[in-house]
Amino acid sequence: MAANEIEHLIRLMGRLPGLGPRSARRAALSLMKHPDTLLRPLIEALGTCRDAISICSTCGNLDSHDPCSVCADRDRDRDVVCVVQEVEDLWAMDRSGSYRGLFHILGGTLSALDGRHPEHLRITALLERVEKDGIGEVILALGATVDGQTTAHYLGERLRPLACRVTRLAYGLPVGGELNYLDQGTLDAAMKARQLLA
Amino acid sequence: MAAALALAEEVAGSQPRAALSTLELRDFRNYRQLSLAVDDGIVVLTGANGAGKTNLLEAISLLSPGRGLRRAVLAELDRDDAGPFVLRARLSTIDGPLDIATGRDPSHDRRFVRLFDRNLRGQSELGMFFGVSWLVPSMDRILGDAASGRRRLLDRLALAVQPDHATRVAAYERAMRERSAVLRDGAGDPAWLKVLETRMAEPAVAIAAARIEVIGALNARLRNPVLDLPAVELAPSGEVEGWLLEMSALDTEQRLCEALARSRGRDALAGGAQHGVHRSDLDVCEAVRCEPAARLSTGRQKAVLLAMVMAEAELRRERSGMTPILLLDEVAAHLDSARRDALCDALLALDAQVWLTGTDKSLFGALSGRAQFFHVDEGRLSNHE
């Protein structure tokens, strides 16, 4: 039977994504067992993040500076903006090293059934940014889900009047993947997006 | 040598059929526990009203994707104050035996499906292995009632030619619900509506194409009717199906998008959508006089539906190489004795595992000695013969 204080901590940690009640209990116990090497540094890191981290007013990224380090990086291609759903998608794209342009975080996807409307996403900020900064290309890097694709097509419609190219990431074979393990939808998409080889 | 040739001819001539070999029920409807073993021919269940005959057919229907022949909510399937229900079955199929288990998973309140003790990701995988078709009394008036029942029947029939049909119907309906929500709560954002209308139109064309194809394939079989019936003719009735018969799929898609865009105002007021495949119908006519089948007597309407279900079974056999299991609930009730005998002969000729129910064994006299008879009484089965 844990003390009320620890139970409170476990319930809070159990709200975090990826942590169920059991893993929250293990994490809380680990913090209690290592007060100097784990608990205190974690408290300090949480406090620092609370005070220092804010949302970038340009792209929606999380950083201790506004504009964020990505937006402020003068070595990036400032003519291209890659639109992603969430901050973790920005990190994934940036980790790949294959893209050196700017980003724009939407904050989710449209879903009329779940009540997520255009005004709940950072769509107006994107349109203003493309127009004001004279962006030449917008790359839509949204999930290949029903909602992700609805949102991509919606953004395509809204960006159409602006003088920029609108592209989206290709669908198809994963690198290192074998054909016979692919689902029908991926194979259909790969067939439609085939490229000229010779 | 001659014997070997005769055997080879016999094997080539016999049609493979999907069939239940064993069925176990636990805490399902009025069955506490039941174990049943049958051969792959016709099975007749007799018993008083409420004995549990239809419940047994419903259990078999749940071995296919969907909500079964009563379209019941999952929790309704548990026996009173008991459950969760579990069904286990062994089937013989063209690809060898299959062990299937399904039931209510209480931790997620959804239906689990296991194949050889391996959890399947979804029920739709079941449809890949064998088919189950049914005719139940609630469908008796389907030819004269609202279009929704006939449309549902048509979409079930279309699975025989297009296994993805149910997925496309679900995608279409979801896009339509989203469009209604945007019209209602989304201030009618035109760009959003345009995307959703395209998302409706793409599957709509595929849905209409599958409906037209299955109707054509069934008509070819219904021209040579069984059961002493006048020939019947099916026809798609709906604007999208009509457009598709006149123009290309791309033009049909475009035309539906335009129609939906024009009806936004009315749809916002009335809800739903004025245009689309959800408004289509299935016309069933007596072929020579073009008289709607809804004007036929109740017994003849039943015979028309039976002919359609049997034509579907033949079509499925042609497409998949395997006859589906047929569940025919109280089908003899409205038929005169001559038609009942014709039905029995037609079912024997169909070469399928057919499950029939009726209150009295004498209704199925023509099957005597050629089918397995069971008496059902308060969730228990006893062998007649």
Side-chain angles (χ1 to χ4, degrees), chain B residues 185-351:
Chain B
D185 312 318
D189 184 323
W192 199 357
L193 288 168
K194 186 177 173 188
V195 172
L196 293 173
E197 285 156 4
T198 307
R199 254 181 59 201
M200 280 175 71
E202 285 169 358
V205 173
I207 290 165
R211 288 174 178 172
I212 291 169
E213 185 185 350
V214 77
I215 285 172
L218 291 176
N219 274 338
R221 287 163 178 79
L222 290 168
R223 273 184 213 118
N224 301 309
V226 288
L227 306 183
D228 189 24
L229 265 179
V232 286
E233 178 117 12
L234 312 179
S237 166
E239 60 180 354
V240 182
E241 286 82 356
W243 295 337
L244 195 56
L245 289 169
E246 287 172 6
M247 57 180 84
S248 72
L250 274 178
D251 288 342
T252 303
E253 196 178 308
Q254 182 64 31
R255 187 152 178 190
L256 179 55
C257 283
E258 288 165 5
L260 286 165
R262 279 197 305 272
S263 70
R264 285 173 192 168
R266 271 179 300 163
D267 292 345
L269 290 173
Q274 296 267 331
H275 302 278
V277 288
H278 63 288
R279 299 179 74 87
S280 303
D281 197 350
L282 169 68
D283 286 345
V284 185
C285 281
E286 193 266 292
V288 180
R289 284 178 293 173
C290 287
E291 192 179 356
R295 290 196 203 143
L296 298 173
S297 71
T298 314
R300 286 165 85 86
Q301 286 189 34
K302 186 93 174 187
V304 167
L305 289 171
L306 271 166
M308 285 169 64
V309 170
M310 283 194 274
E312 179 209 2
E314 283 180 9
L315 180 61
R316 281 189 184 234
R317 176 170 61 206
E318 186 185 293
R319 299 288 171 115
S320 71
M322 189 163 50
T323 323
I325 297 171
L326 284 187
L327 310 174
L328 305 179
D329 192 18
E330 302 283 356
V331 289
H334 295 295
L335 301 180
D336 55 42
S337 63
R339 284 216 175 79
R340 273 204 305 272
D341 290 352
L343 169 66
C344 293
D345 289 343
L347 292 176
L348 286 164
L350 191 60
D351 200 11

Side-chain angles (χ1 to χ4, degrees), chain A residues 117-118 146-147 150 154 157, chain B residues 174 178 185 189 192 194 199:
Chain A
H117 293 188
V146 171
D147 287 342
T150 298
Y154 176 81
E157 285 294 320
Chain B
R174 186 191 152 124
E178 283 210 57
D185 312 318
D189 184 323
W192 199 357
K194 186 177 173 188
R199 254 181 59 201

Side-chain angles (χ1 to χ4, degrees), chain A residues 110-114 116-119 146-147 149-151 153-155 157-158 160 184, chain B residues 121 164 174 177-179 181-182 184-187 189-196 199:
Chain A
L110 290 176
S111 171
L113 298 179
D114 294 330
R116 286 197 306 274
H117 293 188
E119 61 269 28
V146 171
D147 287 342
Q149 290 319 295
T150 298
T151 310
H153 284 115
Y154 176 81
L155 290 176
E157 285 294 320
R158 296 290 304 270
R160 195 192 298 270
Q184 195 60 47
Chain B
R121 270 200 296 177
D164 287 341
R174 186 191 152 124
R177 283 200 305 276
E178 283 210 57
R179 178 179 178 270
V182 172
R184 193 178 57 240
D185 312 318
D189 184 323
W192 199 357
L193 288 168
K194 186 177 173 188
V195 172
L196 293 173
R199 254 181 59 201

Side-chain angles (χ1 to χ4, degrees), chain A residues 41-61:
Chain A
L42 182 67
I43 291 168
E44 285 167 7
L46 288 172
T48 308
C49 282
R50 183 196 59 196
D51 297 338
I53 300 297
S54 62
I55 296 171
C56 172
S57 56
T58 307
C59 74
N61 191 13

Side-chain angles (χ1 to χ4, degrees), chain A residues 40-190:
Chain A
R40 191 182 303 279
L42 182 67
I43 291 168
E44 285 167 7
L46 288 172
T48 308
C49 282
R50 183 196 59 196
D51 297 338
I53 300 297
S54 62
I55 296 171
C56 172
S57 56
T58 307
C59 74
N61 191 13
L62 293 172
D63 206 326
S64 50
H65 300 93
D66 186 9
C68 69
S69 55
V70 175
C71 291
D73 184 350
R74 305 310 296 180
D75 291 336
R76 286 181 179 264
D77 182 351
R78 309 193 74 77
D79 193 44
V80 191
V81 169
C82 178
V83 179
V84 293
Q85 282 171 224
E86 303 289 354
V87 175
E88 55 261 41
D89 300 325
L90 183 158
W91 292 345
M93 287 289 290
D94 216 36
R95 254 198 327 267
S96 74
S98 58
Y99 175 72
R100 287 293 294 164
L102 301 172
F103 285 95
H104 191 90
I105 293 161
L106 272 188
T109 52
L110 290 176
S111 171
L113 298 179
D114 294 330
R116 286 197 306 274
H117 293 188
E119 61 269 28
H120 300 133
L121 306 178
R122 302 183 68 255
I123 291 173
T124 308
L126 172 69
L127 300 175
E128 287 172 0
R129 188 179 172 193
V130 169
E131 195 158 23
K132 184 166 74 71
D133 297 348
I135 300 294
E137 180 177 357
V138 174
I139 303 169
L140 302 174
L142 305 175
T145 59
V146 171
D147 287 342
Q149 290 319 295
T150 298
T151 310
H153 284 115
Y154 176 81
L155 290 176
E157 285 294 320
R158 296 290 304 270
L159 288 161
R160 195 192 298 270
L162 306 181
C164 69
R165 270 179 89 204
V166 182
T167 57
R168 68 163 194 199
L169 294 191
Y171 301 146
L173 305 182
V175 175
E178 294 197 37
L179 211 67
N180 61 339
Y181 288 110
L182 288 184
D183 63 280
Q184 195 60 47
T186 307
L187 274 176
D188 285 348

